[in-house]
Amino acid sequence: MDDLFAARSQMALSLGFHIIFACIGMVMPFFMATSHYKYLKTNNPLYLDLTKAWSKGVAIFFVTGAVSGTMLSFELGLLWPEFMLHAGPIFGMPFSLEGTAFFIEAIALGFFLYGWGKFKPWFHWFTGVVVGVSGLASGILVVAANGWMNSPSGFDFVDGKYLNIDPVAALFNDAWFTQALHMTLAAFTATGFAVAGIHAYLMLKGKYVDFHRKAFTIAIVFGAVAALLQPISGDISAKDIAVRQPAKLAAMEAHFETSKTAPLIIGGIPDVEAKEVNYAIKIPGALSFLAHGDFEAEVIGLDQFPEEHHPPVAVVHYAFQIMVGLGMILVGLSLLYFISLWKKKNWQIQRWFLWLFVLATPLGFIALEAGWTVTEVGRQPWIIYEIMLTKDAVTPIPGIRYSFFIFTAIYISLAGIVSFLLYRQIKAVPATLAQNSKTNADS
C-alpha cells in the first residue's frame, strides 16, 4: 500500500463512517420535533415518550458526528497539506460557517435535552426545531465545500497561482445547489427508512404496537416523500454533471465513445481495455435524453479525455448502478406506503407489509454510500477538478499506512460503541413505556 492509496483509503473510511452519523444527526431532530409537536397538540403521552426516546438517539448521533467530523478536519490538513495550502483561503468560508451552525446546534440541543419543565412548552419545542435546522445547514455547508472541489470557482488560476480570491463565489459554486439538494434528500430517505424499519420490526414483536406505529408513521412519511423527490433531484444532477464533469458521467454510464443517440446502460460489466460493456441492458437514446433533454443529443465519452485522467470506470459504474437500483426500490416502497394510506389501510397491519420495510432498513444508507462513491471517485484523478491532481496534494511524510490502520481501529471502536448505546437505548424503551403506563394508571 503506497502513501497515496493509504491516504485516499483513510479519507474514504473517515467519510464513509462520518456521512452515516452526520445524515442521521441532520434528520432525526426533525422526527423528534414532529413527535414533540404532536404531543403538544394532542397531549397524547405516547408522543411524549417517543420524543424523549428519540432525543436520546439524537444526542448519541450528535456526539458521534462531532467526533468523526473533528477527526476529518484534522485529516484534511495532515493528509493533504498542499490542497489545504491553496484551497483553504478559497473555500474556508463554508467550513467557518459550518462551525457556527455546529455551535448553534450544540447549544440548542443542550436547551432541548435539559429544558423539560424549565421552558415554556412551545419555546422548548422551538429549540428542537433549531437543532434540526442548524444541523441541516451544517450539512449543506459541508456539501458546498465539496461542491467547490467538483466545480472550483471564486479565484483565478494563473501560472500556478491562485489569485483574486472571492470566498462568496466559491461558496455558491455551480455544484453546491445540485449536490446539496441530492444529499439532503438522500439523508431524509436513508434515515426515514432506517428508523421506520426498526420500528416496523418492533411492531412485529407485538409489544407497544401503538407507540411503534406512531414512530413508524412519522419516519416513513419523511423518508417516502424524500424518496419520491429523489429521482427529480437525480435528473437535475445528471444534467448538471453532463455539462460540468462529462468524464464523471461517462464513467457512471461506462460510456467509452462519444456518440449521438447514446444509450442508457443498465447493469453490465465494463471492460476498460476493450472499451465496452458486457451483459448490459441498453435503452437507445435514453442517456442523451437524460443528459441533455434530446434523444439525439451528443454525449461526450471517455475517448475525449486522456487515459490518465479517466476515473476508475468500474468502481464508479457499479456504485452508480447500486445507488439507482436501491433508490428505485425505495421509490416503489414509498408508493406502496402511500397506496396503503389511500386505499389499503389494512395493509399496514399485515406482516408482509411490515417485513418489506424491515428488509429495507439498510438500503438507504447503502445507496447513500454508493452515491458518495460516485461523487468522490468520479472526480478522480483530480482533488480540485481540472486544477490539482490528487497525487500532487498528498503529504510527503512517509508511513501513512500506519495512520490508516490506527484510524480504522478507532472507527471500528466508535461503530461498536454507538451500536451498543443504540441497542441499550432501544432495549430500554419497553421498560420506560411500562413505567409510564403504570404511572398514568395510578394517577
Side-chain angles (χ1 to χ4, degrees), residues 313-371:
V313 176
V315 174
V316 178
H317 178 71
Y318 294 141
F320 180 67
Q321 297 293 314
I322 290 170
M323 178 188 71
V324 173
L326 295 181
M328 295 313 297
I329 290 174
L330 297 180
V331 166
L333 287 174
S334 301
L335 292 173
L336 186 70
Y337 174 74
F338 285 120
I339 290 171
S340 75
L341 280 182
W342 181 39
K343 289 281 190 179
K344 301 285 186 179
K345 289 188 181 294
N346 63 309
W347 283 0
Q348 296 186 22
I349 60 174
Q350 301 296 320
R351 293 185 66 85
W352 66 265
F353 183 85
L354 295 174
W355 268 114
L356 287 176
F357 289 92
V358 172
L359 295 174
T361 300
L363 299 187
F365 285 111
I366 295 173
L368 182 72
E369 295 283 9

Side-chain angles (χ1 to χ4, degrees), residues 366-383:
I366 295 173
L368 182 72
E369 295 283 9
W372 194 249
T373 299
V374 171
T375 300
E376 295 301 282
V377 179
R379 188 184 62 246
Q380 298 305 314
W382 305 98
I383 192 168

Side-chain angles (χ1 to χ4, degrees), residues 380-407:
Q380 298 305 314
W382 305 98
I383 192 168
I384 306 175
Y385 188 61
E386 294 188 331
I387 299 291
M388 180 185 289
L389 292 167
T390 305
K391 66 180 182 180
D392 295 333
V394 72
T395 178
I397 299 174
I400 298 301
R401 64 176 69 87
Y402 302 111
S403 172
F404 168 66
F405 297 143
I406 292 170
F407 273 75

Side-chain angles (χ1 to χ4, degrees), residues 13-25:
L13 173 72
S14 302
L15 285 166
F17 182 92
H18 176 70
I19 197 172
I20 293 177
F21 296 101
C23 286
I24 297 173

